[in-house]
Amino acid sequence: MEPDWEGPLGEAYARAMAYLHNLPERPVGARATADELRRRLGGELPEGPGDPSEIIEELADAVEGGLVATGSGRFFGFVIGGATPASLAADWLATVWDQNAGLYAAAPAAAVAEEIATGWLVELFGLPDQTSVGFVTGGQMANFTGLAAARYDVLRKAGWDVEADGLIGAPRVRVLVGAERHDTVDRALRFLGLGTRCIVPIAVDGQGRMRPDALASELHQGPTIVCAQAGNVNTGAIDPLDEICELSDDAWVHVDGAFGMWSAVGTPIKGLAKADSWATDAHKWLNVPYDSGLVFCAHPAAHRAAMGVRASYLIHDEDQRDPLDYNPEFSRRARGFAVYAAIRALGRQGIVELVDRCCAMARRFAEQLDEYVLNEVRLNQVLVRFGDDDLTRRVVRAVQQEGTAWMSGTTWQGRAAMRISVSNWTTSETDVDRSVEAITRCVEIEQTRSTQG
């Protein structure tokens, strides 16, 4: 029986084009309730086959109102980027090609596309030439992989082979990390069996940057990993990496640079290249579709020791790069195609312009919301607070419900705040101005309610 590709894929294409063309004006937040979505999507388990075109049509209808327009130029939540046309198209092709990108033998083109993109990425960030790269799902697994290589290396230097002998009886590993770290670091340490009690929180300054003087007193006490930040998730502040790396000469330095590392493409971050491993996301400031994380390691042997695998039923070509040697997945999507296409379409200058434009739009937010701003706006993150915790949280909810824009809430230094993250390549001055107007309206409405209540 000849499969019908044109029907369901044609319906999907038409729906995709309608969604993308309507994205600039559709409400940013979701409109449907969970019960509405369950009712539309639910039903009895199908006993027999259905018509693929009808299924796609019904699926697209059912989810309407339940999609958050994260690709909109007025979505400012969580540090989520959009998707550029080239990266989106390459990602569609990756789905059609359906390559299992773990082994070169199973997906030669996917492996080589990753290899080429690896060289470009290392050059863009100014990292050491020998740096190895793994294409993972996101910052969580990038931190996991980088810290796995770190765990292997610091224990190897202490005379312990963690990959063979595990952690029972191993020397204690200490992880020195800023008090304002991202939670993916703690979670990665749990996954790695080190546990969160291995963490030694290091004091930070008023913007969340690790203080080198506080770090210095905790170093040189056995196997140690230092975890620094390039882009605090709330303020965008970058740790003083040069000083941290100089101090940590006998420790492994891992940099969580989920979004902030991309600023190094235009303006080098002092000391960045001195670290041992780095984590970042392509689905943030490179604006490729989800999911796309990247892990870099200056010590490929440690990277492969922590992640690599050999088995008699696999086909290994020692002259070619097997992607599974650099990430925790075995079978995996060929996500490197989208990264490759994004870099080719933007080039170095296009990436610099994308980052600079987002930073400029963040400054525009800060200028117009000046009386509410809490942080030094150095990158794309703006923290604002409207009086007290209760009012701030109500304004965040009101803005999300109003629909013009979408921002997430956070807690900064014990106080509630709205976090505005400008990460989308399409965000314009008009988007910022419309969003500021919506925020201002919501503040006035909620203040009025407070006085009347």
Side-chain angles (χ1 to χ4, degrees):
M1 180 179 177
E2 188 70 23
D4 174 19
W5 298 115
E6 286 78 7
L9 288 176
E11 180 67 28
Y13 177 79
R15 294 299 187 123
M17 289 299 100
Y19 179 83
L20 291 170
H21 286 305
N22 292 331
L23 199 53
E25 294 307 322
R26 70 179 289 139
V28 181
R31 288 292 177 265
T33 66
D35 285 343
E36 288 172 335
L37 293 169
R38 292 188 187 101
R39 186 170 62 253
R40 296 180 203 164
L41 292 164
E44 298 296 324
L45 171 68
E47 291 295 336
D51 179 85
S53 297
E54 290 181 5
I55 291 167
I56 296 303
E57 181 181 3
E58 291 168 3
L59 172 62
D61 287 340
V63 301
E64 185 58 40
L67 300 175
V68 176
T70 54
S72 167
R74 295 188 308 283
F75 182 86
F76 305 107
F78 302 119
V79 201
I80 291 178
T84 59
S87 66
L88 181 56
D91 197 56
W92 280 6
L93 284 175
T95 298
V96 172
W97 294 333
D98 197 23
Q99 301 291 282
N100 184 338
L103 289 170
Y104 173 88
V112 172
E114 282 192 13
E115 178 186 312
I116 300 302
T118 287
W120 291 345
L121 288 160
V122 168
E123 183 178 349
L124 283 168
F125 289 124
L127 303 181
D129 290 343
Q130 80 279 5
T131 298
S132 53
V133 182
F135 290 69
V136 295
T137 53
Q140 177 67 78
M141 295 316 293
N143 279 330
F144 169 86
T145 304
L147 291 170
R151 181 187 66 172
Y152 164 81
D153 196 68
V154 300
L155 285 175
R156 177 189 62 82
K157 290 175 180 175
W160 187 271
D161 184 348
V162 68
E163 308 305 330
D165 299 322
L167 285 170
I168 298 175
R172 179 172 178 262
V173 176
R174 302 168 75 243
V175 180
L176 313 183
V177 61
E180 290 289 345
R181 63 193 175 275
H182 195 274
D183 287 337
T184 53
V185 172
D186 299 51
R187 197 168 182 230
L189 294 172
R190 286 164 44 206
F191 292 169
L192 289 165
L194 293 172
T196 54
R197 287 201 178 101
C198 75
I199 293 173
V200 180
I202 303 299
V204 297
D205 67 12
Q207 295 300 307
R209 290 178 288 251
M210 187 189 295
R211 285 172 38 198
D213 62 320
L215 173 66
S217 63
E218 295 291 350
L219 290 165
H220 317 302
Q221 298 182 38
T224 301
I225 301 168
V226 176
C227 194
Q229 272 192 127
N232 179 280
V233 73
N234 283 307
T235 67
I238 296 174
D239 285 347
L241 300 179
D242 196 46
E243 293 178 73
I244 289 169
C245 290
E246 288 296 324
L247 287 169
S248 308
D249 55 347
D250 62 346
W252 179 291
V253 179
H254 173 74
V255 176
D256 176 7
F259 63 93
M261 261 183 73
W262 291 98
S263 67
V265 177
T267 304
I269 298 172
K270 190 176 181 181
L272 181 68
K274 295 180 181 179
D276 298 286
S277 59
W278 306 262
T280 193
D281 281 319
H283 57 226
K284 287 188 170 68
W285 251 353
L286 189 59
N287 275 232
V288 305
Y290 272 82
D291 51 33
S292 186
L294 299 162
V295 59
F296 301 81
C297 187
H299 311 284
H303 195 169
R304 289 193 300 272
M307 292 292 124
V309 62
R310 290 293 180 270
S312 61
Y313 56 86
L314 300 176
I315 301 174
H316 301 285
D317 186 334
E318 298 305 323
D319 294 327
Q320 305 298 338
R321 176 184 179 276
D322 281 327
L324 59 72
D325 284 336
Y326 302 96
N327 67 75
E329 299 166 311
F330 214 110
S331 297
R332 56 183 285 274
R333 176 179 177 77
R335 58 179 65 93
F337 286 128
V339 174
Y340 171 90
I343 296 173
R344 278 205 61 187
L346 290 168
R348 183 193 299 273
Q349 192 55 45
I351 295 171
V352 172
E353 289 172 358
L354 192 163
V355 170
D356 286 351
R357 186 165 60 253
C358 288
C359 293
M361 295 304 100
R363 291 194 297 273
R364 190 176 183 90
F365 265 115
E367 289 163 3
Q368 296 188 49
L369 296 171
D370 180 61
E371 63 181 299
Y372 306 117
V373 175
L374 298 177
N375 66 313
E376 299 170 4
V377 180
R378 300 291 178 86
L379 289 181
N380 62 330
Q381 304 296 106
V382 185
L383 282 180
V384 292
R385 176 178 167 84
F386 311 103
D388 58 25
D389 287 357
D390 180 63
L391 178 59
T392 299
R393 293 185 179 116
R394 285 193 285 115
V395 171
V396 170
R397 288 194 297 270
V399 171
Q400 292 171 350
Q401 293 165 4
E402 193 268 349
T404 298
W406 203 99
M407 292 82 168
S408 49
T410 189
T411 300
W412 172 246
Q413 297 180 341
R415 299 184 295 169
M418 172 188 283
R419 180 166 61 119
I420 302 170
S421 175
V422 188
S423 309
N424 192 300
W425 69 286
T426 67
T427 297
S428 66
E429 293 182 353
T430 300
D431 288 322
V432 173
D433 296 346
R434 286 181 60 186
S435 301
V436 169
E437 289 172 5
I439 292 169
T440 303
R441 283 197 304 273
C442 290
V443 171
E444 291 172 353
I445 291 169
E446 294 304 321
Q447 285 176 332
T448 299
R449 287 178 177 167
S450 295
T451 57
Q452 292 175 346

